[in-house]
Short mmCIF file of all heavy atoms in Angstrom, two decimals:
data_model
loop_
_atom_site.label_atom_id
_atom_site.label_comp_id
_atom_site.label_asym_id
_atom_site.label_seq_id
_atom_site.Cartn_x
_atom_site.Cartn_y
_atom_site.Cartn_z
N ARG B 15 119.99 5.87 119.53
CA ARG B 15 119.41 7.17 119.97
C ARG B 15 120.41 7.91 120.89
O ARG B 15 120.42 9.05 121.01
CB ARG B 15 118.19 7.04 120.84
CG ARG B 15 116.98 6.49 119.92
CD ARG B 15 115.81 6.16 120.68
NE ARG B 15 115.20 7.22 121.25
CZ ARG B 15 113.90 7.26 121.91
NH1 ARG B 15 113.40 6.12 122.17
NH2 ARG B 15 113.43 8.32 122.27
N SER B 17 124.28 8.53 120.98
CA SER B 17 125.47 8.43 120.05
C SER B 17 126.69 8.20 120.91
O SER B 17 126.83 8.42 122.01
CB SER B 17 125.56 9.64 119.19
OG SER B 17 126.00 10.69 120.01
N ALA B 20 128.01 11.38 122.18
CA ALA B 20 127.31 11.87 123.41
C ALA B 20 127.93 11.11 124.61
O ALA B 20 128.15 11.70 125.67
CB ALA B 20 125.85 11.61 123.30
N LEU B 343 123.94 17.89 129.91
CA LEU B 343 123.36 18.90 128.93
C LEU B 343 124.19 18.91 127.65
O LEU B 343 123.73 18.78 126.55
CB LEU B 343 123.28 20.37 129.49
CG LEU B 343 122.18 20.49 130.55
CD1 LEU B 343 122.25 21.87 131.08
CD2 LEU B 343 120.79 20.27 129.84
N THR B 344 125.51 18.98 127.93
CA THR B 344 126.38 18.93 126.68
C THR B 344 126.31 17.62 125.88
O THR B 344 126.25 17.61 124.68
CB THR B 344 127.89 19.19 127.19
OG1 THR B 344 127.91 20.27 127.96
CG2 THR B 344 128.77 19.22 125.89
N ALA B 345 126.18 16.54 126.72
CA ALA B 345 126.08 15.19 126.01
C ALA B 345 124.74 15.22 125.32
O ALA B 345 124.71 14.72 124.14
CB ALA B 345 126.05 14.12 127.10
N ALA B 346 123.64 15.71 125.98
CA ALA B 346 122.39 15.75 125.24
C ALA B 346 122.50 16.58 124.06
O ALA B 346 122.00 16.19 122.95
CB ALA B 346 121.35 16.36 126.18
N PHE B 347 123.23 17.74 124.12
CA PHE B 347 123.34 18.58 122.94
C PHE B 347 124.23 17.85 121.84
O PHE B 347 123.88 17.97 120.70
CB PHE B 347 124.13 19.96 123.35
CG PHE B 347 124.30 20.88 122.21
CD1 PHE B 347 123.31 21.42 121.60
CD2 PHE B 347 125.67 21.10 121.85
CE1 PHE B 347 123.55 22.24 120.61
CE2 PHE B 347 125.86 21.91 120.70
CZ PHE B 347 124.84 22.55 120.06
N VAL B 348 125.27 17.30 122.34
CA VAL B 348 126.14 16.53 121.37
C VAL B 348 125.29 15.40 120.71
O VAL B 348 125.37 15.23 119.55
CB VAL B 348 127.38 16.01 122.08
CG1 VAL B 348 128.12 14.97 121.07
CG2 VAL B 348 128.27 17.11 122.40
N ASN B 349 124.48 14.75 121.60
CA ASN B 349 123.66 13.74 121.03
C ASN B 349 122.72 14.21 119.97
O ASN B 349 122.58 13.65 118.95
CB ASN B 349 122.95 13.05 122.25
CG ASN B 349 122.42 11.70 121.68
OD1 ASN B 349 123.09 10.90 121.14
ND2 ASN B 349 121.10 11.44 122.04
N SER B 350 122.08 15.37 120.35
CA SER B 350 121.16 15.93 119.30
C SER B 350 122.01 16.34 118.08
O SER B 350 121.53 16.14 116.95
CB SER B 350 120.47 17.02 119.93
OG SER B 350 121.09 18.28 119.80
N LEU B 351 123.14 16.87 118.19
CA LEU B 351 124.03 17.26 117.12
C LEU B 351 124.31 15.99 116.34
O LEU B 351 124.38 16.00 115.12
CB LEU B 351 125.35 17.96 117.55
CG LEU B 351 125.24 19.45 117.89
CD1 LEU B 351 126.60 19.91 118.21
CD2 LEU B 351 124.73 20.19 116.64
N ALA B 352 124.73 15.01 117.08
CA ALA B 352 125.11 13.72 116.33
C ALA B 352 123.96 13.13 115.53
O ALA B 352 124.14 12.67 114.42
CB ALA B 352 125.61 12.73 117.43
N ARG B 353 122.76 13.31 116.25
CA ARG B 353 121.64 12.65 115.59
C ARG B 353 121.28 13.53 114.36
O ARG B 353 121.01 13.10 113.27
CB ARG B 353 120.41 12.65 116.46
CG ARG B 353 120.56 11.65 117.55
CD ARG B 353 119.46 11.53 118.53
NE ARG B 353 118.22 11.09 117.75
CZ ARG B 353 117.11 10.99 118.34
NH1 ARG B 353 116.87 11.40 119.60
NH2 ARG B 353 116.01 10.61 117.64
N ARG B 354 121.41 14.81 114.56
CA ARG B 354 121.27 15.73 113.40
C ARG B 354 122.29 15.48 112.33
O ARG B 354 122.09 15.39 111.18
CB ARG B 354 121.24 17.15 113.92
CG ARG B 354 120.95 18.14 112.85
CD ARG B 354 121.10 19.56 113.27
NE ARG B 354 120.97 20.38 112.05
CZ ARG B 354 120.89 21.56 112.11
NH1 ARG B 354 120.77 22.34 113.22
NH2 ARG B 354 120.96 22.24 110.90
N SER B 355 123.57 15.29 112.80
CA SER B 355 124.60 15.00 111.91
C SER B 355 124.30 13.74 111.20
O SER B 355 124.66 13.64 110.00
CB SER B 355 125.90 14.99 112.71
OG SER B 355 126.85 14.19 112.10
N LYS B 356 123.69 12.77 112.00
CA LYS B 356 123.39 11.54 111.22
C LYS B 356 122.39 11.71 110.10
O LYS B 356 122.46 11.16 109.06
CB LYS B 356 122.86 10.43 112.16
CG LYS B 356 123.99 9.73 112.90
CD LYS B 356 123.41 8.56 113.79
CE LYS B 356 124.56 7.89 114.38
NZ LYS B 356 124.09 6.80 115.32
N ARG B 357 121.38 12.54 110.46
CA ARG B 357 120.42 12.85 109.54
C ARG B 357 120.93 13.47 108.36
O ARG B 357 120.75 13.18 107.14
CB ARG B 357 119.30 13.79 110.06
CG ARG B 357 118.34 13.05 110.98
CD ARG B 357 117.04 13.75 111.06
NE ARG B 357 117.27 15.11 111.60
CZ ARG B 357 117.36 15.41 112.95
NH1 ARG B 357 117.31 14.41 113.89
NH2 ARG B 357 117.52 16.64 113.33
#
Side-chain angles (χ1 to χ4, degrees):
R15 293 174 73 175
S17 69
L343 288 172
T344 308
F347 179 67
V348 168
N349 194 48
S350 85
L351 278 182
R353 291 180 66 185
R354 187 181 164 168
S355 155
K356 273 189 179 172
R357 284 200 303 277

